[in-house]
Amino acid sequence: QVQLVESGGGLVQAGGSLRLSCAASGRTFSSYAMGWFRQAPGKEREFVAAISRSGGITYYADSVKGRFTISRDNAKNTVYLQVNSLKPEDTAVYYCAAALVIVRPRTEDGYDYWGQGTQVTVSS
């Protein structure tokens, strides 16, 4: 069992930055690939970024490539999402997720555990 708690969201102006964090419980964090998804009001949840267990492989949605960076610190049981050059369309609840065995990192059904989410609001 893994519990995930996101933090770092908030209200920011367009062009601004935030660093989202996701802290995981348990001593097996390094066994899980991690992902970030987001859900905007009235829309389905969508993939944002994912990272392999060691951190050596990363994946990004085309809409955030070059602006967002996913990273992890296995010693701190934490995965991060640095979000830069924010746009109003980035407004959403951001969720982190953990997958013990991941085949399709860009799809929700590949993940076993989810956090409660952190709100990111970007004003124009």
Side-chain angles (χ1 to χ4, degrees), residues 11-94:
L11 174 62
V12 63
Q13 289 187 333
S17 299
L18 290 170
R19 188 174 82 155
L20 308 183
S21 299
C22 172
S25 64
R27 294 177 289 180
T28 59
F29 177 71
S30 60
S31 299
Y32 291 84
M34 300 297 295
W36 285 96
F37 289 74
R38 67 185 182 185
Q39 187 168 22
K43 295 188 177 181
E44 294 186 352
R45 191 155 55 185
E46 64 175 2
F47 170 75
V48 175
I51 190 167
S52 63
R53 287 173 284 187
S54 67
I57 301 173
T58 56
Y59 308 85
Y60 294 96
D62 288 343
S63 60
V64 307
K65 200 172 295 183
R67 299 188 298 123
F68 292 10
T69 303
I70 188 170
S71 61
R72 67 188 296 160
D73 185 338
N74 286 344
K76 295 183 178 180
N77 282 13
T78 302
V79 62
Y80 304 98
L81 186 69
Q82 179 68 41
V83 296
N84 298 331
S85 302
L86 282 162
K87 305 174 182 180
E89 52 263 44
D90 294 317
T91 295
V93 177
Y94 283 70

Side-chain angles (χ1 to χ4, degrees), residues 4 7 13 19 31 44 49 57-58 65 91 93 96 101 108-109 112 116 118 120 123-124:
L4 304 172
S7 62
Q13 289 187 333
R19 188 174 82 155
S31 299
E44 294 186 352
I57 301 173
T58 56
K65 200 172 295 183
T91 295
V93 177
C96 72
V101 178
E108 289 187 52
D109 60 5
D112 305 299
Q116 294 299 305
T118 186
V120 172
S123 62
S124 57

